[in-house]
Every structure is written in structure tokens, then in C-alpha cells.
Amino acid sequence: MTGLRVAADKETGVAVVTLDRPDRLNAIDLGMRDELVDAWRELRFDDTVRAVVLTGAGERAFCTGLDRDAEVPQPDSPYMADDPLLHVGPKSNDLWKPVVAAVNGMACGGAFYLLGESDFLIADPAATFFDPHTTYGMVSAYESVLMAQVMPHGEAARTALMGTAERLSAERAHTIGLVTELTEPGGVLAAATAAAEVIAGYPAEGVQGTVRALWAAKESAVRQGFAQAPHLVSLGNLPLERQAGLFRSRQPGFRLR
């Protein structure tokens, strides 16, 4: 694997999946996307792994979504759209082992596919969350549907609509319940691994059934929201050249709340 690291500890039953493109702020290109899909599917069949920690390499970012340099061919039709990250998360690959996200640095845009399918989040105090879509003339569709399941509606709406002008601080994310624990600086991976080890020590059948039940409580809303997303993206996204122009002319700075 070139953009992903998977390390499984057979004694504790915990696997750590690391997005490993720190030079690109752990942005997901198509190669990493495919590696993630393969990793989730391999973990389904590894009975020595009973819990998973998902994190990003380096201190600057957990994940900044889809790599803007990735070549993503699209059908020339408003009725068909291929979202490259739609099946990048663990639940989308039928993995019902618990996934704890250890969030360090920036988590934005397409990172929400992964966070929205994690079971709970633990964050470094320097972690931030934001969604740049609207700034660049794009519809935040799938990401917003997922975030609306794990954040109060107003917070999800504000995060999606304010684009790059604001970032949600780790402290605020903890206050609203998006994040379940704030660690000491640099301690997020250890804290997430410790939690995963506790869960991995319980009988797998009960744990996996609980994960499946929790997801069942919201998957109907996710499915209905996703059904609308392709049309909203086709209608609302600006042409790629205009998106690129907005990206190049973006203003530096942001408000942290």
C-alpha cells in the first residue's frame, strides 16, 4: 500500500488504519480510495481484529477530502454522477466492527465520509472541522447528509454553508457531541487505541450487533438523503473550470469557533 498503513495487534485485537499522505494533508486520491475499500473488506475477514482505530499521519491533518489533483472522469449526462468517495467508509463496505476515529489537525470535506461512518470520534485539541464545498461553487450533499446524523441540525448547516470562512474547533465539536473526548496535545492516537482495546476485549458478537443496531437507527435517513444527492450535485455544482478559479482566488484566514 502506498497511501495507507494498516497495523493489526493480534494480542489486543485492535487494527490501526492510518491515512498516510501527510505531504498532501492526507487527501484521498483514487489509489488511496481503492486501498481503503480493500482494507475495510480485508478487516471483515480477519477474526483477530475486533476493533479499529482510524487516523491520519502527521500533525497537520486527519484528512482533507478528495485530492483536487485526482482525475475523476464523469459521464456526460445530468442523470449520472460518480462520486469517488461514496463507498470509502467502513459501513459502506459492510464492516460492522467498531471504528474509533482519532482526529488530529484538519478534517474537512470528503473526510466527513469517513467520520460519518465511524462509531465515535476522539480529537486532539488542535483538531478542526470544516466543509469547503460552498466556497468553491459545489454542493455539499453526501457530506451534509452524514454530518446531519452526528451533529445538531444548526451546527451541520452552519458548517456546510460557511465554507472556508469558519472552522469548528475541537472544543466546540466536543460541546455539541460530534467529538466524545478531547485529549492532551499529541495524545489522541493513544486515547483512541485505549478505547478500542477495551471494546476489543468484549465478545465480538455482542459488539458487532450493537454497532449494527446503532447504524440501523440512522441508515434510513442516510439512504433517503443519498438518493437526492446526485441530482442536487448535478444541478448545483459549477463547471470545473469555475470551481478551479474560485479555489485559486480563495481568501486566506478563517474564524475559529
Side-chain angles (χ1 to χ4, degrees), residues 25-43:
L25 300 177
N26 298 320
I28 302 172
D29 62 6
L30 299 187
M32 182 192 275
R33 184 271 313 274
D34 293 343
E35 290 174 354
L36 275 164
V37 170
D38 290 342
W40 300 133
R41 292 177 177 172
E42 288 174 12
L43 289 169

Side-chain angles (χ1 to χ4, degrees), residues 21-103:
R21 301 183 74 217
D23 57 320
R24 298 291 295 177
L25 300 177
N26 298 320
I28 302 172
D29 62 6
L30 299 187
M32 182 192 275
R33 184 271 313 274
D34 293 343
E35 290 174 354
L36 275 164
V37 170
D38 290 342
W40 300 133
R41 292 177 177 172
E42 288 174 12
L43 289 169
R44 291 175 64 208
F45 291 95
D46 188 345
D47 291 338
T48 67
V49 173
R50 298 179 297 280
V52 181
V53 173
L54 174 63
T55 194
E59 299 179 354
R60 296 179 62 196
F62 167 79
C63 176
T64 54
L66 182 67
D67 193 322
R68 289 191 63 87
D69 291 338
E71 294 290 335
V72 185
Q74 293 290 335
D76 187 19
S77 168
Y79 303 105
M80 295 180 287
D82 291 332
D83 189 297
L85 301 185
L86 187 57
H87 302 294
V88 78
K91 306 297 187 295
S92 297
N93 289 282
D94 208 34
L95 179 70
W96 302 108
K97 299 178 181 182
V99 177
V100 181
V103 183

Side-chain angles (χ1 to χ4, degrees), residues 9-204:
D9 186 331
K10 297 187 183 300
E11 290 189 7
T12 64
V14 174
V16 178
V17 176
T18 305
L19 309 177
D20 194 15
R21 301 183 74 217
D23 57 320
R24 298 291 295 177
L25 300 177
N26 298 320
I28 302 172
D29 62 6
L30 299 187
M32 182 192 275
R33 184 271 313 274
D34 293 343
E35 290 174 354
L36 275 164
V37 170
D38 290 342
W40 300 133
R41 292 177 177 172
E42 288 174 12
L43 289 169
R44 291 175 64 208
F45 291 95
D46 188 345
D47 291 338
T48 67
V49 173
R50 298 179 297 280
V52 181
V53 173
L54 174 63
T55 194
E59 299 179 354
R60 296 179 62 196
F62 167 79
C63 176
T64 54
L66 182 67
D67 193 322
R68 289 191 63 87
D69 291 338
E71 294 290 335
V72 185
Q74 293 290 335
D76 187 19
S77 168
Y79 303 105
M80 295 180 287
D82 291 332
D83 189 297
L85 301 185
L86 187 57
H87 302 294
V88 78
K91 306 297 187 295
S92 297
N93 289 282
D94 208 34
L95 179 70
W96 302 108
K97 299 178 181 182
V99 177
V100 181
V103 183
N104 46 312
M106 292 181 287
C108 64
F112 294 167
Y113 286 87
L114 295 171
L115 297 183
E117 291 194 11
S118 297
D119 294 290
F120 60 90
L121 280 57
I122 296 176
D124 185 274
T128 58
F129 306 82
F130 64 101
D131 189 343
H133 280 77
T134 55
T135 300
Y136 306 139
M138 302 168 67
V139 176
S140 176
Y142 297 103
E143 297 87 350
S144 290
V145 168
L146 287 167
M147 287 296 99
Q149 312 309 309
V150 295
M151 298 168 66
H153 176 83
E155 294 287 350
R158 181 165 180 162
T159 299
L161 294 171
M162 291 295 288
T164 60
E166 282 191 351
R167 295 186 185 181
L168 192 68
S169 68
E171 182 178 1
R172 179 62 182 166
H174 185 243
T175 298
I176 66 174
L178 174 62
V179 168
T180 64
E181 178 184 353
L182 288 182
T183 69
E184 295 297 319
V188 66
L189 181 57
T193 302
E197 288 178 359
V198 170
I199 300 169
Y202 299 148

